[in-house]
Amino acid sequence: MKADFHLDERSRGIIHGVCTIMYLITLVMIMVAMFYRQFVLLQPTGVFEDLAVILTINAAVLLSAVLYFGGLSFEKIKPVRLITLHVGFVALGFAFTLVKYFVLLDQPLSSADMLSKLGIIAAILAILTGLNVLFAYLGKRKTERQMM
């Protein structure tokens, strides 16, 4: 009876593909619901801040888990490329922040506020990058131990 539930590689690949697509659709639907609530219903962000926290944690944990379980080979990423990616993500995060305040909220920021927000974005991304490097290293060690 137990053999009836055995999945071959093809079946597992199909299930993984479907789960990945459904996972992405769910994330997009949560983001669309947040934008709808903020910009159409004009609800304050505090009302759906829990969804933003869930999405943020989800994104951080997803990459760490993929690195830990060996879905991505971190050895091939050179430190220069890692720094470049970090700077790029900081710039992207800062650009989104500026668009949010200047365009969507029509709320100007002083230079001190902009530098403060840039520092927060850079610090958070540095912590996340460090955690991802740590998880990639720990995952590599785990894999090497399993191979022995």
Side-chain angles (χ1 to χ4, degrees):
M1 189 71 170
K2 206 173 197 179
D4 292 339
F5 295 108
H6 179 72
L7 298 173
D8 61 1
E9 287 182 31
R10 183 184 156 280
S11 297
R12 273 189 264 163
I14 290 170
I15 291 171
H16 288 180
V18 169
C19 288
T20 301
I21 291 169
M22 293 307 297
Y23 172 75
L24 291 173
I25 288 171
T26 302
L27 291 179
V28 169
M29 289 173 63
I30 290 172
M31 286 187 269
V32 167
M34 288 172 55
F35 288 137
Y36 176 77
R37 291 170 72 177
Q38 183 175 7
F39 299 114
V40 176
L41 299 179
L42 301 175
Q43 293 178 345
T45 55
V47 174
F48 51 88
E49 198 170 77
D50 54 343
L51 294 176
V53 169
I54 289 170
L55 284 175
T56 303
I57 291 172
N58 187 300
V61 170
L62 173 68
L63 182 56
S64 296
V66 168
L67 289 169
Y68 181 77
F69 290 110
L72 293 175
S73 176
F74 208 72
E75 292 176 343
K76 295 179 181 176
I77 299 177
K78 296 182 168 99
V80 173
R81 178 170 268 175
L82 188 64
I83 292 169
T84 304
L85 282 170
H86 177 72
V87 169
F89 280 122
V90 168
L92 186 64
F94 189 60
F96 276 114
T97 301
L98 292 178
V99 167
K100 175 185 174 184
Y101 281 97
F102 285 108
V103 176
L104 301 176
L105 298 177
D106 196 26
Q107 179 182 355
L109 293 174
S110 67
S111 297
D113 287 339
M114 284 192 272
L115 284 176
S116 171
K117 297 210 182 298
L118 182 62
I120 291 169
I121 292 167
I124 289 171
L125 286 173
I127 291 168
L128 290 175
T129 302
L131 286 173
N132 287 331
V133 169
L134 175 67
F135 277 108
Y137 172 73
L138 293 174
K140 181 178 181 263
R141 276 189 43 197
K142 179 185 75 92
T143 302
E144 288 173 352
R145 285 184 185 165
Q146 288 175 343
M147 294 174 85
M148 287 184 185

